[in-house]
Amino acid sequence: MSHTQQCVLPGECGCQVAGVRYWPGQKIKMDCDLCVCEQGKPQRCQPNPDCSVHCGWSSWSEWGECLGPCGVQSVQWSFRSPNNPTKHGDGRVCRGIYRKARRCQTDSCDQCYYQSRLHAVGERWRAEPCQLCHCLRNITVQCAPYCPYAVTGCSMGL
């Protein structure tokens, strides 16, 4: 509708943004974008060169897991991203590192000693004909009755 409340062609429609009226072809500043009023809507939006947002870094992530075989020196990583906020317009790009490392020590190679044999923490094995044993984190061995012969029964009467 025109200012006299008459119907107009779509190309002659104005735009209304945040309560402000714009004429067809007029530039509209929307946040950090410059748009053109066309067919009643802001269109052909592009970054506003006068609007500069400098890049900023996110916080550092938690340190990652210390990976590698047991009992060795290894490396763990922390990361950050250039998105707090992301650079816009003529703003400065983020400079600096996006990852950092520190040395770490993997868990020790603790072992359980059971019946003259060494077993790694977490390892399970059969002992005797009817026992299942497990090497626990506190370097103790836990054994429980186990019967692989469900039909015939175990020789120990289990």
Side-chain angles (χ1 to χ4, degrees), residues 3-123:
H3 65 284
T4 60
Q5 302 301 316
Q6 301 294 316
C7 285
V8 294
L9 295 172
E12 298 172 13
C13 287
C15 303
Q16 189 154 347
V17 176
V20 179
R21 184 131 176 93
Y22 296 88
W23 298 109
Q26 190 175 1
K27 290 192 178 189
I28 305 168
K29 285 186 182 182
M30 295 174 50
D31 297 321
C32 284
D33 284 335
L34 274 180
C35 304
V36 176
C37 176
E38 290 180 345
Q39 300 188 11
K41 297 187 255 183
Q43 303 204 36
R44 293 191 291 139
C45 298
Q46 300 207 350
N48 181 352
D50 296 333
C51 183
S52 298
V53 176
H54 300 308
C55 171
W57 289 101
S58 67
S59 299
W60 286 100
S61 70
E62 295 292 320
W63 287 103
E65 192 176 346
C66 188
L67 298 175
C70 62
V72 299
Q73 281 237 329
S74 188
V75 175
Q76 57 190 158
W77 297 92
S78 177
F79 299 90
R80 64 181 180 166
S81 300
N83 61 1
N84 191 27
T86 303
K87 172 192 154 351
H88 195 279
D90 289 335
R92 289 192 306 267
V93 297
C94 281
R95 298 200 189 283
I97 59 171
Y98 71 94
R99 68 180 180 183
K100 60 183 178 179
R102 72 177 182 187
R103 289 178 194 253
C104 61
Q105 183 74 35
T106 60
D107 292 336
S108 63
C109 299
D110 294 326
Q111 295 180 322
C112 297
Y113 188 73
Y114 184 77
Q115 294 182 342
S116 305
R117 296 187 69 195
L118 289 174
H119 299 275
V121 170
E123 182 182 345

